[in-house]
Amino acid sequence: MTSAERYASAKEQYAAVGVDTDAVIAKLKEIPVSLHCWQGDDVIGFDHDGPLTGGIQTTGDYPGKARTPEELMADFDKVISLTPGKKKLNLHASYAIFEPGEFADRDKLEPKHFAKWVAFAKERNMGIDFNPTFFSHPNIKDGMTLSSPDGEVRKFWINHGRACIRISEYFAKETGVPCVMNIWTGDGFKDIPADRMGPRMRYKDSIEQILAEPFDRKLVKPCVESKVFGIGVEAFTAGSAEFTLSFAATHEGCLPLMDNGHYHPTEVVSDKIPALLCFFPELALHITRPIRWDSDHVVLYDDETREMAKEIVRNDALDRVYMALDYFDASINRVSAWTVGFRSWQKALLCAMCTPNAELKKLQDEGNFTKLMVMQEEIKTYPFGDVWAEYCRQCGVAADQSWFAEIEKYEREVLSNRK
Ligand code: RNT
Ligand code: ZN
């Protein structure tokens, strides 16, 4: 059978359960997923020489990481060429690009320091998402930024946040696509604190001061990301789940951002998505793969990844949930890691869209749990691979592992020269 024949046959099988695979493919091509620049260089960026701090860590020393904006952009382009689907570029403030001899500290960053990224995104028809960088910087005092007891430290980071709002608005205006701006800090304590509320009150006030910067709420979508703990920040995190969720709920236009590595191991974000959709017009996600802790392994096409995609799709929330990948593996070829993660999330979305969701909901509402189980199990072995192959064909990328030969060639010709 040719792949066209295989797709025709798959299309028929899905049609029999009420799924129009042509319509699914056409729709998925238009859904943006934000691709994080930081997988390419182990979350370092271009504005400092120091190590990665803030309770996050990359492990591994696979050769070939990007050292300059040009290298990072070239690697990003390689990922684009090997993955189906619409992309948005996700940047951190630490990826500012300065002219030779120029430098601006985080509180003084301006749109011009990101002009090269804007040109890059525009040429590729991508919107841009943004993140102030509250880590890897000397002005972090005792592990604290926005919640520091030191007013000068707080002021510096508030000004950083405000600068980032202006930059986010510039991105949105330039690209014509709203910019999701995510606030995450690693603020917290290694050991039992004497005051848990004080840092949180300061954190709350600081985020309010950042959001007091005037901006168009249709262009900039500020988010707050929660976390349970970090490395060296095991006892207390200022931006806990309750803190950030309550902040978003009480501040008009501020979205909650859930990172699926940031909860206790038996909690699942797939169950939190529909809960938040009952209350928030929009929300944001960091899609990652935690193994035993917030390890940020490459996203795979695994059960929880699929379950998260299902919740977005079957609640008709593809236009209410901003999806961004967030992981960083330095132990394998980084361009391949990037590619695998993006392809996995695309597979999860496509699979969710190829599920007869309305039919399954009906079975649940009718209390027909026997047939519901049967159907959910049978759908698993429907010829999803043939629909994936057709989607990839239409997007001009390989459906199978043959894309990896490109990575091997790129490693030989480009990455291995980076010493
Ligand atoms: C850290 C958070 C945060 C970062 C990025 C680099 O635990 O997940 O989102 O990974 O901002
Ligand atoms: Zn995250």
Side-chain angles (χ1 to χ4, degrees), residues 32 44 67-68 94 97 100 119 141 202 242 245-246 250 252 261 270 272 294 323 327 330 340 350 358-359 375 410:
I44 293 300
R67 300 158 304 178
T68 63
S94 52
I97 303 176
K141 194 171 168 191
R202 292 192 287 269
E242 293 73 16
L245 196 54
S246 305
T250 52
E252 181 83 46
S270 54
K272 299 176 192 294
D294 183 29
M323 304 175 281
Y327 57 83
V340 169
L350 186 68
E359 187 61 31
M375 283 306 294
Y410 191 64

Side-chain angles (χ1 to χ4, degrees), residues 215-279:
F215 64 97
D216 183 339
R217 310 229 158 213
K218 285 202 253 347
L219 297 184
V220 180
K221 310 275 179 176
C223 314
V224 281
E225 178 180 13
S226 71
K227 192 160 173 173
V228 64
F229 83 101
I231 298 177
V233 193
E234 287 85 0
F236 167 86
T237 298
S240 62
E242 293 73 16
F243 175 89
T244 54
L245 196 54
S246 305
F247 187 95
T250 52
H251 293 74
E252 181 83 46
C254 184
L255 281 56
L257 187 147
M258 294 189 289
D259 179 312
N260 63 304
H262 291 189
Y263 296 88
H264 293 285
T266 60
E267 286 183 75
V268 280
V269 163
S270 54
D271 187 59
K272 299 176 192 294
I273 293 168
L276 296 203
L277 284 172
C278 297
F279 298 94

